[in-house]
Amino acid sequence: MEAFDDWRLFANFDLEGARLIYSQRKLPTLVIFHCHAAIEKALKALWVKHGKLVVKTHDLRRLLKDVSVLEPWALEFIDGIVFVN
């Protein structure tokens, strides 16, 4: 079974990468790429937290839809997720 902590850790790595690149004011598309990866991994972490197997997709809207059934509060971030997706 995939581990919640692993997905969360890798989400944090991507978020830290996005922050570092952003702080240098370079490569804005790479910042968005790492933000997308961080969100994807965070949503997958929430999914495995409930004992579910991760779907192989990069579609943040699909992941949010699936996760929001188990974690309704996640819908608060729909606008940002749609933007990054």
Side-chain angles (χ1 to χ4, degrees), residues 8-77:
R8 189 178 59 162
L9 176 67
F10 290 121
N12 283 330
F13 288 161
D14 277 311
L15 185 57
E16 188 58 35
R19 286 180 177 142
L20 179 63
I21 297 164
Y22 179 77
S23 72
Q24 296 174 9
R25 302 289 191 242
K26 297 179 181 179
L27 306 169
T29 56
L30 194 54
V31 172
I32 294 294
F33 173 83
H34 282 287
C35 287
H36 184 286
I39 294 166
E40 178 182 335
K41 290 169 186 163
L43 289 171
K44 289 178 177 180
L46 290 171
W47 192 242
V48 299
K49 174 184 163 189
H50 292 278
K52 308 289 185 184
L53 293 176
V54 170
V55 182
K56 293 188 182 205
T57 184
H58 301 294
D59 186 345
L60 299 181
R61 290 173 296 181
R62 177 181 175 190
L63 291 168
L64 179 62
K65 180 182 172 192
D66 292 346
V67 166
S68 67
V69 172
L70 303 168
E71 300 278 354
W73 58 266
L75 288 173
E76 294 176 35
F77 301 97

